[in-house]
Amino acid sequence: MQEKVLELAQKVGFDLVGIAPAQLPKEDFERYEGWVKKGRAGEMAYLERDPERRRAVTQIMPEAKAVICLGINYFRGPKEVGKGATGKVARYAYGRDYH
């Protein structure tokens, strides 16, 4: 099943795909907590709220066994802009949707 998920994700255009356990190992969660405490979350204040929900997907989906993680490379090469247009476009905005 895992191979089928990986194959399908790449087939539909994802550059990265991985499968992780629904429960974070203790040391990974501690690293996350330290990262947040050091202020590395920037303006993403929601990462500080309710940290126990971030320990494991099973906190919000008790039946979960694993999490599928997907990634797309934002930069697909220089973007042509309209005639006379100027300015810079963030790399994440080059694609149809970066969410």
Side-chain angles (χ1 to χ4, degrees):
M1 179 61 116
Q2 182 172 341
E3 289 301 318
K4 192 168 189 119
V5 169
L6 299 174
E7 181 183 318
L8 180 60
Q10 290 176 337
K11 183 178 180 180
V12 298
F14 288 99
D15 298 306
L16 299 171
V17 59
I19 300 175
Q23 180 83 30
L24 279 177
K26 182 181 178 187
E27 58 275 4
D28 287 347
F29 186 71
E30 289 170 352
R31 187 171 46 243
Y32 166 77
E33 285 182 307
W35 181 85
V36 170
K37 286 177 185 171
K38 289 177 185 173
R40 302 261 169 84
E43 294 180 15
M44 298 179 288
Y46 64 90
L47 292 175
E48 298 176 35
R49 290 191 300 265
D50 201 7
E52 283 305 309
R53 287 186 69 190
R54 300 184 192 293
R55 181 182 297 275
V57 171
T58 54
Q59 296 289 330
I60 54 175
M61 296 180 72
E63 67 282 359
K65 303 288 186 247
V67 177
I68 300 171
C69 306
L70 304 164
I72 289 181
N73 183 355
Y74 290 150
F75 187 64
R76 301 285 182 176
K79 195 81 161 168
E80 292 283 330
V81 293
K83 198 170 195 165
T86 61
K88 293 183 179 182
V89 175
R91 288 182 179 184
Y92 71 82
Y94 279 11
R96 288 192 324 239
D97 185 2
Y98 66 93
H99 289 92

